[in-house]
């Protein structure tokens, strides 16, 4: 469970929770605070407020010297796998390093575990003594996944793990994550700016805008019946393979400049770009509203003005305001 209450230049008043064998997808434009959120939960960044509860322990208040037992419980996969691996170390050393650091595992036992992990991510055992520069981007990302799994963590934070991969390689990586979710007692925080990828893999979706979660709910509820105009705009921009359906599809086009996250607008943060903006939006910050579908959304449309009454924002026109 992550709860942030204080105002800061990036993250603002947000709360999240993840259960084992669940994938929580975080999406939003670049710069909205997704990676900062992930790194703060992993305590790579020091939070200035709120709490990070891991099985009852608040990690936010723990000094660095007491964090080591939790380092193996929370692992990260970064966007650039090459820069996250030691280029001068073999794959055996890169993947096996957490085992040695956390448990002092002997080399022979360590190599046996590394072989098991490489096979699990569909890489051959002949890769053990090779170096990172000898692998493709997709192979390196699978190696990064193997390293994250080495110490059997309870939470894996995947920060844009497929954004640099081609479509077919993305599918392989996403398939591996789904397999491990089913077979391992691990939870995933999956961060991506690509809503189509988040929709494909996540059980729950949270949409961020300027450091806030503006909508959160089950995959189908968010993807099929978006309750926030920003979510609707993101979904309307996702390409559809059917050309006829793509031409007839309604687009929500956002205008205006993106505000500086360190100087966010008063009231609703999205009001400067929202096609359905009302007078109250620039004056009062919206409270969290629970929709009939069970999603949580920060938007005055559900409590003021036309009141959507369970409708998707994609069913709303400017004439309704």
């Amino acid at each position: 469970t992550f709860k942030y209450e204080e105002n800061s230049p990036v993250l603002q008043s947000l709360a999240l929770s993840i259960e084992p064998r669940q994938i929580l997808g975080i999406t939003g434009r670049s710069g909205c605070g997704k990676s900062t959120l992930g790194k703060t939960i992993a305590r790579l960044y020091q939070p200035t407020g709120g709490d990070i509860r891991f099985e009852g322990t608040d990690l936010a208040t723990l000094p660095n010297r007491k964090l080591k037992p939790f380092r193996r419980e929370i692992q990260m996969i970064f966007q650039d796998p090459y820069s996250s691996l030691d280029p001068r170390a073999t794959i055996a050393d890169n993947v096996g390093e957490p085992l040695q650091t956390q448990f002092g595992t002997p080399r022979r036992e360590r190599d046996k575990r590394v072989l098991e992990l490489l096979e699990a991510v569909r890489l051959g055992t002949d890769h053990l003594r090779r170096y990172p520069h000898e692998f493709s981007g997709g192979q390196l990302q699978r190696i990064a996944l193997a390293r994250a799994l080495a110490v059997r963590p309870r939470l894996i934070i995947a920060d844009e793990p497929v954004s640099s991969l081609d479509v077919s390689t993305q599918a392989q990586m996403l398939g591996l994550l789904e397999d491990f979710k089913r077979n391992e007692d691990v939870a995933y925080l999956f961060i991506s700016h690509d809503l189509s990828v988040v929709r494909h893999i996540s059980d729950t979706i949270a949409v961020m805008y300027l450091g806030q979660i503006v909508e959160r709910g089950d995959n189908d509820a968010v993807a099929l019946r978006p309750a926030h105009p920003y979510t609707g705009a993101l979904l309307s921009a996702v390409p559809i393979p059917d050309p006829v359906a793509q031409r007839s599809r309604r687009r929500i086009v956002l205008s205006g400049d993106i505000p500086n996250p360190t100087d966010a607008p008063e009231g609703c943060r999205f009001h400067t770009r929202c096609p359905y903006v009302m007078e109250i939006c620039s004056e009062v910050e919206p409270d969290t509203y629970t929709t009939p579908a069970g999603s949580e959304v920060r938007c005055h449309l559900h409590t003021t003005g036309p009141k959507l009454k369970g409708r998707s924002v994609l069913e709303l026109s400017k004439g309704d305001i």
Side-chain angles (χ1 to χ4, degrees):
T1 300
F2 176 84
K3 187 175 182 181
Y4 199 91
E5 296 171 334
E6 289 188 11
N7 290 340
S8 77
V10 181
L11 303 180
Q12 304 275 344
S13 303
L14 55 86
L16 294 168
S17 61
I18 317 174
E19 299 295 329
R21 301 194 178 186
Q22 181 188 47
I23 297 180
L24 169 61
I26 305 288
T27 192
R29 64 170 295 275
S30 298
C32 70
K34 303 185 302 296
S35 294
T36 299
L37 171 63
K39 291 174 181 176
T40 303
I41 292 173
R43 274 296 305 269
L44 299 182
Y45 291 159
Q46 173 65 49
T48 58
D51 53 49
I52 306 168
R53 297 211 169 267
F54 185 85
E55 297 183 342
T57 301
D58 185 4
L59 304 185
T61 58
L62 283 183
N64 288 331
R65 67 180 183 276
K66 293 187 177 181
L67 279 173
K68 185 175 180 180
F70 296 96
R71 294 292 186 197
R72 64 173 174 261
E73 303 286 1
I74 303 175
Q75 293 287 305
M76 283 202 70
I77 302 172
F78 296 94
Q79 179 176 356
D80 182 0
Y82 186 79
S83 64
S84 67
L85 299 171
D86 184 349
R88 296 170 297 180
T90 65
I91 297 308
D93 290 334
N94 268 295
V95 177
E97 182 182 12
L99 293 169
Q100 185 175 358
T101 302
Q102 291 289 343
F103 307 117
T105 307
R107 187 179 186 86
R108 180 176 296 180
E109 186 178 337
R110 183 203 70 175
D111 286 355
K112 181 180 178 182
R113 171 66 174 156
V114 172
L115 284 172
E116 293 173 353
L117 289 164
L118 290 180
E119 290 175 348
V121 298
R122 300 167 194 169
L123 290 173
T125 57
D126 57 318
H127 296 126
L128 197 64
R129 303 303 173 193
R130 293 169 63 184
Y131 291 84
H133 70 270
E134 300 179 69
F135 294 88
S136 68
Q139 289 174 321
L140 287 174
Q141 202 58 286
R142 282 185 275 163
I143 291 167
L145 174 59
R147 184 177 63 175
L149 290 165
V151 291
R152 294 184 170 88
R154 303 296 303 279
L155 171 65
I156 291 179
I157 301 171
D159 185 8
E160 298 278 8
V162 299
S163 62
S164 61
L165 308 180
D166 60 64
V167 175
S168 61
T169 311
Q170 280 187 12
Q172 294 174 10
M173 185 68 181
L174 295 175
L176 282 172
L177 290 174
E178 291 177 316
D179 288 345
F180 285 117
K181 183 195 78 167
R182 285 192 296 266
N183 299 324
E184 303 283 341
D185 191 21
V186 60
Y188 290 90
L189 181 69
F190 185 91
I191 298 169
S192 177
H193 68 277
D194 189 336
L195 181 53
S196 62
V197 173
V198 171
R199 179 181 176 184
H200 172 78
I201 195 172
S202 303
D203 301 298
T204 304
I205 298 175
V207 181
M208 285 191 74
Y209 184 79
L210 289 186
Q212 275 190 346
I213 300 294
V214 296
E215 183 169 0
R216 179 181 61 187
D218 291 341
N219 188 316
D220 287 346
V222 174
L224 300 178
R225 302 190 63 79
H228 196 281
Y230 182 57
T231 309
L234 292 177
L235 284 167
S236 72
V238 175
I240 298 175
D242 183 349
V244 176
Q246 180 69 29
R247 283 195 298 270
S248 62
R249 185 188 203 186
R250 183 188 169 206
R251 277 292 307 272
I252 298 179
V253 180
L254 302 180
S255 60
D257 296 328
I258 300 169
N260 187 330
T262 62
D263 187 22
E266 295 292 328
C268 173
R269 290 164 176 255
F270 187 59
H271 84 264
T272 59
R273 306 185 70 210
C274 182
Y276 310 118
V277 64
M278 301 176 290
E279 184 176 349
I280 190 176
C281 301
S282 61
E283 301 171 351
V284 180
E285 183 174 357
D287 293 326
T288 300
Y289 172 82
T290 302
T291 70
S295 298
E296 296 178 351
V297 59
R298 286 174 173 262
C299 182
H300 288 298
L301 287 173
H302 297 271
T303 55
T304 308
K307 297 186 181 180
L308 291 180
K309 297 179 180 179
R311 287 186 296 165
S312 161
V313 292
L314 298 177
E315 302 173 57
L316 186 68
S317 66
K318 289 186 179 180
D320 294 327
I321 305 301

